[in-house]
Amino acid sequence: MGFNCGIVGLPNVGKSTLFNALTQTAAAQAANYPFCTIEPNVGRVAVPDPRLDELVRIAKSQKEIPTQLEFVDIAGLVRGASKGEGLGNQFLANIREVDAIVHVLRCFVDDDIKHVEDSVDPVRDAEIIETELMLADLDSLERRIVPLEKKAKNGDKEAKAQVDVMTPVLAALRDGKPARTVAFDDDEANRIFKQLGLLTSKPVVYACNVEEASTAEGNALSAKVFEMAAREGNSAVVISAAIEAEIAQAWAATRRGRNSCRPWGWRKPAWPASSAPATTCFT
């Protein structure tokens, strides 16, 4: 079964550029103005797995079909998205359909690329989006729980089970905590929780988009993101989306036989592109 991952963030943080790098395409428009992405871009990438290679070897299979990881480049979100600001309603609907979230945070300073908040602060940016998602979840649950409470009082067991799950989640959201911080002990409660389709129930990975010089070790801005992720129990990675996209697309062109890496002094990696990090093409 494939896995579906949404790429989210404020406008102009590098979401579409990262999408192009991950999918080795230029399918997503990347431009220096807000909301250049409106309809979500979708790309699928094969996930290399040495265990599958070994099974193919043992079974002498004619064909090897790896699992697919689907990336969805979702339109940028701004303050007030939970109330419909910007492309808010469409953005939130797209997030509901993914299994996990890659939250792209701008961790570089460039006066030529406008920030919608007029300053670079990745922790603040993360809080803006998390707040909008929590407000959307809170509004959704508060509307859904009222009729269920009435049914529960009349003896409806399924309604009571749903209310029992919604109540602690609502308490967490009202306290400014995402739904993923609420844990349930039994399988039935976890089933109901998953069916709620809450935006803040999805696992999150922060992608710190840094300038090329900071790709190896990050910078002061990305360090703040890593501290935040550790407090939340989430993961974080450092990337330079622009250079990764350039290299990935050049390597993809090389695979098609155009050898476009060579004018820049790049070399073809010794391993298949499906298992190589994009930067291994660079020398």
Side-chain angles (χ1 to χ4, degrees):
M1 180 181 295
F3 192 77
N4 184 285
C5 194
I7 301 175
V8 307
L10 293 175
N12 286 0
V13 297
K15 300 182 302 299
S16 295
T17 305
L18 177 60
F19 174 87
N20 289 338
L22 290 167
T23 59
Q24 294 188 356
T25 68
Q29 180 185 7
N32 185 17
Y33 56 86
F35 309 120
C36 69
T37 298
I38 298 178
E39 293 298 326
N41 300 293
V42 179
R44 292 178 178 84
V45 180
V47 180
D49 188 340
R51 298 172 300 177
L52 180 60
D53 297 337
E54 184 64 15
L55 288 173
V56 169
R57 184 190 67 80
I58 294 171
K60 295 181 172 57
S61 301
Q62 293 286 326
K63 192 174 183 181
E64 180 177 342
I65 303 177
T67 189
Q68 298 284 310
L69 180 58
E70 181 177 271
F71 289 101
V72 184
D73 174 30
I74 298 173
L77 177 147
V78 294
R79 289 183 189 273
S82 60
K83 304 298 181 184
E85 292 293 327
L87 299 172
N89 291 330
Q90 182 172 337
F91 174 97
L92 299 173
N94 292 329
I95 292 183
R96 292 189 196 281
E97 299 175 1
V98 303
D99 300 311
I101 294 172
V102 175
H103 188 164
V104 182
L105 295 169
R106 178 172 167 178
C107 295
F108 65 89
V109 177
D110 186 337
D111 293 337
D112 293 330
I113 302 178
K114 180 177 174 56
H115 194 293
V116 291
E117 293 291 321
D118 295 323
S119 63
V120 178
D121 184 342
V123 173
R124 175 207 59 204
D125 296 350
E127 291 172 349
I128 289 173
I129 287 194
E130 187 82 319
T131 297
E132 294 301 327
L133 299 184
M134 286 192 290
L135 287 173
D137 282 345
L138 184 61
D139 179 66
S140 173
L141 286 186
E142 286 180 337
R143 285 186 287 104
R144 283 191 276 176
I145 198 171
V146 174
L148 288 171
E149 286 177 329
K150 294 179 180 178
K151 291 181 179 179
K153 288 179 180 178
N154 292 328
D156 188 317
K157 292 183 179 180
E158 178 63 24
K160 183 180 184 307
Q162 293 183 55
V163 170
D164 289 344
V165 171
M166 289 182 178
T167 300
V169 177
L170 272 171
L173 291 169
R174 288 166 178 159
D175 196 34
K177 298 176 183 177
R180 73 180 73 90
T181 61
V182 181
F184 297 96
D185 295 329
D186 64 277
D187 293 339
E188 179 61 16
N190 281 311
R191 180 189 66 81
I192 294 172
F193 177 69
K194 186 175 181 179
Q195 288 180 341
L196 294 177
L198 299 175
L199 302 171
T200 60
S201 68
K202 304 177 187 297
V204 174
V205 175
Y206 294 115
C208 304
N209 190 13
V210 301
E211 68 279 5
E212 183 181 348
S214 299
T215 303
E217 298 181 358
N219 56 25
L221 292 170
S222 65
K224 293 180 180 179
V225 176
F226 273 74
E227 292 173 2
M228 174 185 66
R231 290 194 302 270
E232 297 174 348
N234 292 324
S235 300
V237 295
V238 171
I239 54 102
S240 180
I243 190 64
E244 293 287 354
E246 291 175 13
I247 295 172
Q249 289 164 32
W251 171 230
T254 301
R255 293 179 65 194
R256 292 193 296 269
R258 294 204 294 264
N259 297 322
S260 59
C261 278
R262 293 180 182 176
W264 291 279
W266 296 351
R267 60 177 175 80
K268 181 178 178 180
W271 47 78
S274 61
S275 60
T279 52
T280 55
C281 187
F282 188 71
T283 58

